Structures are given as structure tokens and as C-alpha cells.
């Protein structure tokens, strides 16, 4: 491998951008495909499946064995609400390899004592989120039950490329939320990005079960194709 | 695990920039109960110093030896290890799996 190729790969990772290194195991030729170029690549379908699974592996193409080194950024979960569900979610998310950031302007909630192992921002979402930024590998969870706080975060999240946006609350609560978002100028397509009620329907009751349902939904959104099919099916 | 393997790619780059001879070994295929998943890396320098793991310790010694050869020649190699291997008693995988490792020089 050329040092220049290796350093481009490392650079993409440092900038939280996905890339796939394609190595022909017969001819030993190598090339790096950036995420933005995958759609136009001759191996486009194979590359996008590999990236969706976040899994390196050998593929066969035109009689050649080719190894795909997949580099996908670590998922970042930004949880709005330093609440009980977030406390349960932090260790589970870490097990899954995700980074978690907690945002809650209520200082009594957003204390390091309640969240010893993660970044906690005791600030308003509209102030702190632009500083944190949000890319395609970011998930937003609105968990405060307080429209003032959740809406401020939604206003930012819906304008970002975040791959997952979930909001806690019943259908009735979400109905009112939709009205408020429409008043802010968001159209139906934008509002449909919000998973509400948040999480997979597994009958979750306890905070830990709700955290599990949210992480399950995030995993599904990450790994399944947009039509809900598993890779390879 | 993934984060660790990515860190190894950074290690490889750092070593190469320091002027060391560097080889990168990558698990490209596994069969059965292989100890380390596809995509795992071992980074080796010209002195035989290594970081990472392709088999959790079973065959690293053999991979390092081959890697020194690859650093010398510049030609990549595909190594296969498993219980069916003739050298199984020496460098086989105790778990009974089989792995294929791609070793390449960082130029």
C-alpha cells in the first residue's frame, strides 16, 4: 500500500467520513473510494452494502477476488435530556461501540455525578448543537418531555444530515409537536424523518427497556436497506 | 475493536513516516471459529516489532516472519493458517478455524 493512500484513509477517518479501500488480491492494485464517490463507482452496489454493514470482506468481481477494507465513522448519539432513560442508554450504547453526548440545559439533571463517563453539556440545544455539529453518522434523541428543550433541538436536527432522529412521547404528544414544527416552517417530508413514538415497539416500560428499544431502532436504521430488507436478501 | 484496528492504520502511517520498513497484515477471510474477525490488522516494522492481532496470538509469530520478507521484497503475500495446515502443530489455530491473511508493504 502506498503511504499516500494510507494517509488519505486515516485522514478520512479523522474527519468522520466513510471510505472503502479496494484491494485486488490477484493483481495487488489498490484504490480508495470516498463515500461521496460510491454511487458512481463500478462496484457501487457491493461497496454500499459493505458500508451499510460496516464490515470489511472479500467480494468476487469479474473473476477477481477483491478485499474491501471498510472504514465507517463511530456513531455519535446526541441525547437531549439528561434523564433516567439516558442514564440507562449510556452503558448499552458504549457496548455497541457508539459515542454518546448528553445535552440538557437543566443543570440539576445534566450533572457529572449522574453521567460520570460521557460528555455532558448543561446548555440549551440551540446554543450547543451548532458547536457540536451533526453529520450522517449522528443520531438525535429527544427525551426531555419538555417542548421548549426538545423543539430547540429538533429545529437543529431536522436541518442536519443526521441518519436518525427520535422523539419521546405518545402519539397525541407527537401530534402537537407536528403542529409546532409546521408553524416553524417544516414540511411533511422533514417531519416524517422523526421516529415517534421513539424506539421499536417491544412493549418497553422501564427506562432500560426504552433505551433498548431506541438502540434497536438505531441499529435497524443503520444496518437495514432503506426498504427494510436485510443485506444479502 | 474497529476503533482499535483503525488506530493500527494510524500506527502504520506513523512508523512509515519515521522511516521504518512497515508491513500491514489484514485478516481477509475466515472459516469456522476464527479468533479474530475479517478486517483485523497486525502492523509490523522492519525490526519485527508488531502491534495488533490477527489471531489472538496463535499465528502472529509466523505472520511477523513472513512480513519481514514482504518488507524486504515489496511483494504482497496471502498466508493461510488452519488445522489442515501441515504446520498445524507449530503455528496452527487452536480453535480449529481457518484464516487467510493478506500481508503488504507500506511503500
Amino acid at each position: 500500500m502506498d503511504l499516500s493512500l494510507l494517509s488519505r484513509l486515516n485522514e478520512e477517518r479523522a474527519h468522520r467520513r466513510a471510505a472503502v479501500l479496494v484491494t485486488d488480491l490477484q493483481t495487488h492494485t489498490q484504490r480508495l473510494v470516498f463515500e461521496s464517490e460510491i454511487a458512481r463507482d463500478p462496484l457501487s452496489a457491493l461497496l454500499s452494502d459493505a458500508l451499510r454493514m460496516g464490515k470489511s470482506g472479500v467480494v468476487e468481481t469479474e473473476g477477481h477476488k477483491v478485499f474491501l477494507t471498510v472504514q465507517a465513522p463511530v456513531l455519535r448519539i446526541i441525547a437531549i435530556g439528561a434523564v433516567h432513560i439516558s442514564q440507562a442508554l449510556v452503558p448499552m450504547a458504549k457496548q455497541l461501540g457508539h459515542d454518546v453526548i448528553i445535552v440538557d440545559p437543566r443543570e440539576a439533571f445534566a450533572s457529572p455525578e449522574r453521567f460520570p463517563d460521557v460528555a455532558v453539556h448543561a446548555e440549551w440545544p440551540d446554543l450547543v448543537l451548532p458547536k457540536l455539529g451533526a453529520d450522517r453518522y449522528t443520531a438525535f434523541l429527544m427525551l426531555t418531555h419538555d417542548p421548549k428543550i426538545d423543539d430547540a433541538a429538533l429545529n437543529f436536527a431536522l436541518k442536519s444530515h443526521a441518519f436518525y432522529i427520535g422523539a419521546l412521547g405518545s402519539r397525541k404528544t407527537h401530534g402537537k409537536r407536528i403542529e409546532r414544527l409546521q408553524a416553524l416552517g417544516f414540511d411533511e417530508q422533514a417531519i416524517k424523518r422523526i421516529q415517534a413514538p421513539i424506539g421499536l415497539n417491544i412493549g418497553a416500560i422501564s427506562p432500560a427497556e426504552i433505551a433498548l428499544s431506541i438502540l434497536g431502532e438505531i441499529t435497524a436504521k443503520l444496518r437495514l436497506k432503506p426498504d427494510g430488507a436485510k443485506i444479502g436478501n | 475493536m474497529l476503533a482499535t484496528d483503525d488506530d493500527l492504520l494510524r500506527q502504520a502511517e506513523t512508523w512509515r513516516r519515521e522511516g521504518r520498513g512497515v508491513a500491514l497484515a489484514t485478516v481477509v477471510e475466515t472459516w469456522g471459529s476464527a479468533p479474530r474477525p475479517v478486517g483485523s490488522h497486525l502492523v509490523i516494522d522492519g525490526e519485527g516489532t508488531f502491534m495488533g492481532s490477527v489471531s489472538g496470538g496463535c499465528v502472529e509469530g509466523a505472520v511477523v516472519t513472513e512480513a519481514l520478507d514482504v518488507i524486504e521484497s515489496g511483494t504482497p503475500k496471502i498466508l493461510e493458517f488452519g488445522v489442515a495446515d501441515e504446520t498445524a502443530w507449530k503455528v496452527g489455530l487452536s480453535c480449529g478455524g481457518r484464516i487467510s491473511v493478506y500481508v503488504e508493504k507500506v511503500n
Side-chain angles (χ1 to χ4, degrees):
Chain A
M1 186 191 314
D2 281 333
L3 179 60
S4 59
L5 214 54
L6 179 61
S7 91
R8 282 307 297 273
L9 191 61
N10 286 335
E11 204 179 304
E12 291 300 296
R13 173 174 140 78
H15 288 96
R16 287 182 57 79
R17 289 192 294 257
V20 182
L21 177 68
V22 182
T23 306
D24 189 313
L25 295 178
Q26 268 129 297
T27 62
H28 305 304
T29 52
Q30 281 177 321
R31 62 196 178 93
L32 190 58
V33 184
F34 303 115
E35 189 172 13
S36 55
E37 297 169 347
I38 286 178
R40 293 190 301 270
D41 197 87
L43 301 180
S44 149
L46 291 169
L47 296 182
S48 58
D49 276 4
L51 186 57
R52 190 166 280 278
M53 297 296 280
K55 242 173 135 177
S56 298
V58 169
V59 294
E60 302 245 0
T61 167
E62 292 170 0
H64 277 228
K65 270 193 168 186
V66 173
F67 185 71
L68 306 180
T69 305
V70 175
Q71 186 171 273
V74 169
L75 279 196
R76 198 164 51 167
I77 297 175
I78 301 181
I80 310 301
V83 295
H84 206 164
I85 294 169
S86 310
Q87 286 179 297
L89 181 127
V90 167
M92 294 186 198
K94 284 202 162 181
Q95 280 287 309
L96 291 165
H98 309 329
D99 284 344
V100 184
I101 297 172
I102 308 284
V103 173
D104 196 326
R106 302 167 299 182
E107 285 175 11
F109 285 83
S111 74
E113 289 77 30
R114 286 163 51 80
F115 292 91
D117 306 320
V118 289
V120 181
H121 297 271
E123 291 178 75
W124 279 88
D126 45 342
L127 295 179
V128 73
L129 294 182
K131 284 185 261 172
L132 294 174
D135 56 28
R136 249 171 61 62
Y137 293 89
T138 303
F140 281 100
L141 319 179
M142 317 304 164
L143 304 174
T144 66
H145 275 305
D146 182 335
K148 284 197 303 295
I149 305 171
D150 282 355
D151 287 5
L154 273 172
N155 189 31
F156 178 85
L158 288 174
K159 292 170 187 159
S160 76
H161 292 290
F163 81 102
Y164 178 92
I165 301 170
L168 194 68
S170 65
R171 281 176 209 288
K172 200 174 145 202
T173 306
H174 190 54
K176 287 187 199 149
R177 181 185 289 131
I178 290 175
E179 287 171 18
R180 293 194 305 272
L181 290 171
Q182 282 169 336
L184 286 173
F186 288 106
D187 61 14
E188 193 188 350
Q189 205 186 347
I191 291 169
K192 265 171 71 180
R193 288 175 67 197
I194 307 168
Q195 306 291 321
I198 197 169
L200 297 176
N201 183 7
I202 56 171
I205 293 172
S206 71
E209 288 170 357
I210 295 168
L212 179 67
S213 78
I214 294 171
L215 289 169
E217 191 165 62
I218 286 176
T219 307
K221 188 87 180 152
L222 181 69
R223 300 297 189 215
L224 298 177
K225 291 184 187 182
D227 64 0
K230 287 183 187 173
I231 304 294
N233 287 12
Chain B
M1 195 153 25
L2 252 186
T4 316
D5 280 314
D6 289 336
D7 289 342
L8 290 168
L9 294 181
R10 202 158 291 147
Q11 182 72 64
E13 183 182 346
T14 306
W15 279 357
R16 188 69 200 103
R17 290 196 187 284
E18 287 170 9
R20 305 194 203 185
V22 178
L24 177 68
T26 307
V27 177
V28 292
E29 283 185 284
T30 66
W31 299 266
S33 54
R36 295 276 291 136
V38 168
S40 302
H41 294 300
L42 186 71
V43 181
I44 308 99
D45 79 359
E47 303 289 309
T49 311
F50 64 91
M51 307 258 292
S53 162
V54 289
S55 73
C58 301
V59 301
E60 270 70 11
V63 174
V64 169
T65 309
E66 296 287 346
L68 293 175
D69 205 45
V70 168
I71 292 171
E72 194 82 6
S73 70
T75 313
K77 278 187 188 182
I78 296 178
L79 312 173
E80 300 224 353
F81 299 99
V83 283
D85 203 282
E86 281 188 7
T87 56
W89 292 110
K90 276 185 276 178
V91 293
L93 295 172
S94 51
C95 50
R98 207 148 59 81
I99 62 172
S100 174
V101 179
Y102 186 71
V103 186
E104 62 193 307
K105 183 179 181 178
V106 178
N107 289 306

